[in-house]
Amino acid sequence: MASSSSSDSGRNAGTLASRTSSALAAASLIPGLPDDVATVILCLLTFPDQSRLRATSRAWCLLLSAATLLPLRRSLRLPRRHLLCLFPTDPSLASPILLDPAAPTAWWPLPPLPCSPQLYGLANFAAIAVGRHLYVLGGSCFDARSYPLGQPSASAAVYRLDLANSRHCWERLPDMQLPRGSFACAHTPSAGGLLVAGGGSRHPMFPSNGSRTDSTEWYDATAQSWHVGASMPRDRAGCVGFLARGAGDGGEDEFWVMGGYDGYTTLGGVVPNDVYCRDAVALGLWSGKWRMIGDMWEEGERRRLGPIASVSADDGRITEVFMLDDNNVFRYDFTSNRWLKEATTRRKIPNTESCGFIPMNGELYVLRSAKVRVEASGPWRQLKKKLAMEFQVYNPVTKKWRVLTTYPPVGAPIDFRTAALCTVEL
């Protein structure tokens, strides 16, 4: 059976490779190797290497493009490849960077986001990938022309980057109808569609009595236009969203919005304090109506919803939803509407440190930025501190942890309270 499967994969690779070569009337992909073998080698390269090698020849450029590479990897039955996209800080000042988990040392910088010179400090934006496209939506920023300078304003800007294009360049799309930051966002089943809900504007680091909204919009990628949807039952900002396929009545696909805050108070009339939501709401994509979902935890159990990571199947359907709460990972039970403890991180993370939480390739990644001691090369062999990023990777199937360390091309420790994360499938 193994030899039969490999022969089928070889025939598929050879067929697609021969089509590529014949279409471009080019020679062999790699001189001295059959095209099916050369194709498999190129498919197994890391994304940074594939991006650099597109300029080798016209045949390589076509083969390593997303339009050809994705169906080719599926025909070869290669595992899906997810890339981590990290926005360390304001994307108009610092370049977002890509990491291929297959090569934790290979970081690939992307161009910075184009922005008006009067705007700065962009945070609380949504980063999401749909196919080969990377989107950056909304956020909160400061305007040097406004007063007071310490009060952030929400943004309605939308940018898109085509990762399959050898010349990476951000494209400005039509603005959302309502400026918003700290909002829920998800990809819809329609071609290239996006859904956003809630949000507002607040300082990325310090609490402030900012704006909140209950509005919902959806983006039609074909028509390149935004449309207003049914509003949520109440205002909600700082929330997270995901698409749950078949979770509603009659197997209806739903857009779930969890957590966030809907109120604002002060302790003793001085210390600002947000009123966090313990419940969730779900929008039926067929009916266009919201349904209320009760409280997900009891009073005193936890203060607010932690970082969320949703694991999806090959068809994009969400199968599991996890939350990171301090050093514990919880799994959401759709039936009981409760968070059940799944695991504890292998290495304890102090409460004073921020960390990221994101799914990749069916695993859960807990990201932590720190400085580690490394031995410098040279005759003195002295120890120096180097900025590193630690990945604690949890496999929900095997219930096991593993730890990876990489060195991102950034000059300061990453604050995951303002940094943004998303995954890209190529």
Side-chain angles (χ1 to χ4, degrees):
M1 291 298 292
S3 60
S4 175
S5 176
S6 60
S7 62
D8 292 341
S9 300
R11 284 194 295 270
N12 291 333
T15 302
L16 288 174
S18 62
R19 290 178 182 175
T20 303
S21 300
S22 61
L24 298 175
S28 299
L29 291 173
I30 300 178
L33 287 179
D35 280 347
D36 55 348
V37 177
T39 301
V40 174
I41 293 174
L42 294 178
C43 286
L44 293 176
L45 293 176
T46 64
F47 174 75
D49 292 333
Q50 291 174 346
S51 299
R52 284 189 287 264
L53 292 174
R54 285 179 188 153
T56 303
S57 66
R58 293 182 63 193
W60 283 33
C61 182
L62 178 60
L63 178 66
L64 297 177
S65 66
T68 305
L69 195 59
L70 289 179
L72 181 57
R73 287 182 61 88
R74 295 190 185 101
S75 68
L76 294 173
R77 298 181 180 179
L78 296 176
R80 292 186 301 166
R81 172 169 292 174
H82 283 87
L83 309 178
L84 169 66
C85 183
L86 170 64
F87 294 81
T89 181
D90 184 348
S92 63
L93 301 178
S95 300
I97 45 181
L98 291 176
L99 173 68
D100 191 338
T105 59
W107 290 89
W108 183 255
L110 297 175
L113 198 71
C115 185
S116 170
Q118 289 82 20
L119 301 178
Y120 64 97
L122 182 65
N124 301 327
F125 56 89
I128 186 172
V130 181
R132 67 188 194 187
H133 292 110
L134 178 63
Y135 291 84
V136 172
L137 304 92
S140 299
C141 59
F142 299 91
D143 193 337
R145 301 162 295 182
S146 65
Y147 180 84
L149 291 176
Q151 185 67 30
S153 58
S155 171
V158 180
Y159 297 92
R160 182 175 67 183
L161 181 68
D162 189 351
L163 294 173
N165 194 338
S166 58
R167 295 182 179 180
H168 291 154
C169 181
W170 289 97
E171 173 189 7
R172 181 70 180 264
L173 298 180
D175 290 357
M176 294 182 289
Q177 299 196 16
L178 185 70
R180 67 185 78 217
S182 299
F183 55 96
C185 181
H187 166 50
T188 61
S190 57
L194 297 172
L195 257 173
V196 298
S201 177
R202 65 174 295 179
H203 197 285
M205 294 293 294
F206 307 103
S208 62
N209 192 5
S211 62
R212 296 166 182 80
T213 182
D214 61 356
S215 70
T216 303
E217 299 179 49
W218 60 276
Y219 177 69
D220 186 345
T222 304
Q224 293 193 354
S225 59
W226 288 92
H227 305 274
V228 177
S231 299
M232 291 190 295
R234 69 172 186 271
D235 294 346
R236 191 186 296 252
C239 47
V240 296
F242 59 88
L243 181 70
R245 295 193 175 182
D249 296 336
E252 182 180 19
D253 295 343
E254 291 183 325
F255 173 49
W256 280 55
V257 178
M258 285 183 170
Y261 49 90
D262 64 346
Y264 178 82
T265 61
T266 56
L267 298 178
V270 178
V271 181
N273 184 47
D274 289 316
V275 178
Y276 291 98
C277 304
R278 297 195 307 240
D279 62 347
V281 291
L283 173 66
L285 300 189
W286 305 336
S287 63
K289 297 180 180 180
W290 290 92
R291 70 180 178 96
M292 296 292 298
I293 300 171
D295 292 349
M296 296 177 288
W297 60 83
E298 301 293 339
E299 183 70 29
E301 185 178 352
R302 61 176 51 89
R303 181 167 175 256
R304 60 179 177 177
L305 191 73
I308 294 294
S310 54
V311 179
S312 60
D314 293 339
D315 59 357
R317 180 176 57 87
I318 297 295
T319 55
E320 299 287 353
V321 179
F322 297 90
M323 174 182 62
L324 180 65
D325 190 0
D326 292 332
N327 287 275
N328 298 318
V329 176
F330 290 83
R331 183 196 300 259
Y332 179 69
D333 185 5
F334 284 87
T335 304
S336 62
N337 189 29
R338 286 292 182 269
W339 291 97
L340 308 177
K341 186 175 179 180
E342 172 76 12
T344 302
T345 55
R346 184 173 174 180
R347 296 182 180 177
K348 187 176 181 179
I349 301 175
N351 296 331
T352 56
E353 294 187 17
S354 63
C355 57
F357 189 51
I358 196 167
M360 280 193 299
N361 302 316
E363 296 179 313
L364 303 176
Y365 282 66
V366 180
L367 284 66
R368 174 191 176 191
S369 181
K371 288 187 176 180
V372 298
R373 293 182 178 272
V374 295
E375 184 175 323
S377 59
W380 301 107
R381 294 183 176 272
Q382 57 184 351
L383 293 177
K384 293 184 177 180
K385 286 188 175 181
K386 185 177 181 181
L387 186 64
M389 183 177 295
E390 180 186 83
F391 293 161
Q392 297 191 51
V393 187
Y394 176 71
N395 190 321
V397 178
T398 62
K399 311 291 185 182
K400 294 182 179 180
W401 289 90
R402 56 190 177 92
V403 179
L404 303 174
T405 302
T406 181
Y407 301 96
V410 295
I414 298 172
D415 186 354
F416 288 99
R417 292 173 296 181
T418 56
L421 297 167
C422 72
T423 57
V424 184
E425 182 183 351
L426 288 177

